[in-house]
Amino acid sequence: MSDIKLSLRDDCLITYFSEAKNILSWAPFNGGLIKSNYILNWQNSSFAPDELSTLFKEKTKRLGISPHSVGMLTSAKIKNYQKLKSEIGRYEVYVIATVGLDNTRTVGDVADVGLENGEMYSGTINLIVACNALPD
């Protein structure tokens, strides 16, 4: 798992794998099951959903990375991402997270949802989990 590299560029956290990996995601850009070297986590909270594909293609071009990258969105401050690596014997798990929640709650709190400008507000928790214990 030492083949994972992270970089922050242009409001993006770029996860790079030296060899293409099978990536399974619900990402809005190239989601599903895809083989890629890149996962892009883009800090962007203002976009029109019907423009998303075009925006991601333009972003990958500006960054000089493959348009076959997996692309996620976050409203979190991308520079505040967290990472953790754990090893047990020959197995490794690597987790990268961005959390953009302004409406955090704890156990027992009322699960109300506020409105912002008349629309429901939500946040994101984006997780990238890489593990060498899974078959290719």
Side-chain angles (χ1 to χ4, degrees):
M1 298 283 295
S2 59
D3 69 335
I4 298 175
K5 305 282 188 257
L6 300 176
S7 66
L8 285 170
R9 294 186 359 229
D10 195 22
D11 294 327
C12 294
L13 174 62
I14 303 165
T15 303
Y16 168 74
F17 303 96
S18 59
E19 294 180 20
K21 304 291 184 189
N22 288 321
I23 300 170
L24 180 62
S25 76
W26 288 32
F29 185 68
N30 290 331
L33 181 60
I34 184 175
K35 195 161 194 130
S36 181
N37 291 77
Y38 295 95
I39 301 174
L40 177 68
N41 195 352
W42 182 14
Q43 180 183 332
N44 184 343
S45 56
S46 60
F47 62 91
D50 58 334
E51 298 174 354
L52 194 55
S53 182
T54 302
L55 290 172
F56 264 109
K57 287 176 186 171
E58 290 171 358
K59 180 61 97 172
T60 57
K61 187 175 182 176
R62 276 195 310 274
L63 292 168
I65 64 175
S66 171
H68 300 289
S69 304
V70 172
M72 301 186 295
L73 291 169
T74 185
S75 59
K77 288 182 173 47
I78 203 71
K79 66 179 182 178
N80 294 337
Y81 75 91
Q82 296 293 309
K83 64 181 179 177
L84 177 68
K85 180 179 177 182
S86 183
E87 298 178 49
I88 299 176
R90 63 185 175 105
Y91 299 110
E92 301 175 28
V93 176
Y94 198 94
V95 179
I96 304 152
T98 58
V99 181
L101 299 176
D102 288 335
N103 60 345
T104 56
R105 301 289 186 263
T106 59
V107 174
D109 283 350
V110 177
D112 59 340
V113 177
L115 296 178
E116 188 174 291
N117 298 327
E119 295 190 22
M120 218 180 242
Y121 173 80
S122 61
T124 58
I125 299 175
N126 287 343
L127 296 174
I128 298 168
V129 179
C131 178
N132 68 349
L134 300 173
D136 285 332

